[in-house]
Amino acid sequence: MGRRILLLQGHPDPAPHFGHALADAYADGAADAGHEVRRLTLATLDFPLLRSKAEWDSGPVPPALLPAQADIAWAQHLVIFFPLWLGGMPALLKGFLEQVARPGFAIGPIHGHAQPQKLLSGRSARLVVTMGMPALVYRWYFRAHSLKALERNILGFVGIAPIDETLVGRVEALTPAQRSRLLARLRRLGAAAT
């Protein structure tokens, strides 16, 4: 039985990059295996950044992001593609997640508990991150700190688990053969909906 998969392209530049090709490969593998696939490209959305706790707590979600929330609610599995910028996710992706993962949609009220209710439980995720440095350097020397923060403090906080990772290092230096192998790997992951 197919899964409902949302591909979230977090690259701020709408021009094609290798991360876009990776998303296409994942989508092709998933569709060929009978999964339902929806796509969301953040670079095409226009929304403001949150600027206060009051906005976070009770401000309206920007109209441009209501369909995004509907897609997230629909999805059983999210795949988030983004380049590593200044050691973390691009500001556009962070701003998007702050806007959509609001109280009432992603987290419930605190009723005598230390943590709010996780309203997006039952969904899994994969993070596909491209970077200029070798992936092993990011993972072992820098301890993948920003990736861990995304997994624990954003996705895990709203109930998304398990979360898998695909790190693509030295993206600008990849040979055509290496790119082909990575695209084939993403097709296989898409087919498996993992």
Side-chain angles (χ1 to χ4, degrees):
M1 185 171 197
R3 295 185 78 195
R4 297 186 308 271
I5 302 171
L6 176 62
L7 302 185
L8 198 156
Q9 179 52 256
H11 201 302
D13 185 358
H17 296 274
F18 189 57
H20 293 86
L22 293 169
D24 291 342
Y26 190 101
D28 291 345
D32 289 348
H35 303 292
E36 284 185 74
V37 178
R38 291 184 185 175
R39 297 177 81 145
L40 184 59
T41 303
L42 297 190
T44 64
L45 300 176
D46 185 22
F47 58 90
L49 298 177
L50 284 174
R51 298 191 179 269
S52 71
K53 183 176 182 327
E55 276 186 280
W56 160 261
D57 286 337
S58 57
V61 174
L65 298 184
L66 293 173
Q69 281 188 327
D71 285 342
I72 292 167
W74 166 86
Q76 297 169 305
H77 183 63
L78 292 93
V79 187
I80 304 173
F81 297 83
F82 63 93
L84 192 70
W85 281 13
L86 295 176
M89 72 181 103
L92 182 69
L93 177 56
K94 178 76 162 51
F96 169 83
L97 293 171
E98 288 175 355
Q99 283 284 17
V100 298
R102 301 285 260 321
F105 174 74
I107 57 172
I110 299 174
H111 294 295
H113 304 289
Q115 295 290 320
Q117 185 181 6
K118 299 177 179 190
L119 300 180
L120 295 179
S121 295
R123 290 161 183 80
S124 57
R126 174 169 295 278
L127 305 175
V128 181
V129 185
T130 57
M131 61 193 74
M133 75 176 83
L136 283 175
V137 171
Y138 175 67
R139 186 177 297 283
W140 299 110
Y141 182 77
F142 292 104
R143 305 276 189 227
H145 64 281
S146 61
L147 196 60
K148 290 177 186 175
L150 171 58
E151 292 173 358
R152 180 185 57 242
N153 301 342
I154 299 174
L155 300 178
F157 187 70
V158 301
I160 297 173
I163 302 164
D164 294 307
E165 307 163 355
T166 301
L167 303 182
V168 180
R170 298 191 43 86
V171 70
E172 294 89 3
L174 293 172
T175 66
Q178 289 170 321
R179 287 177 183 256
S180 292
R181 284 193 296 274
L182 284 164
L183 293 171
R185 180 175 177 217
L186 267 289
R187 278 188 207 94
R188 289 191 301 274
L189 290 171
T194 61

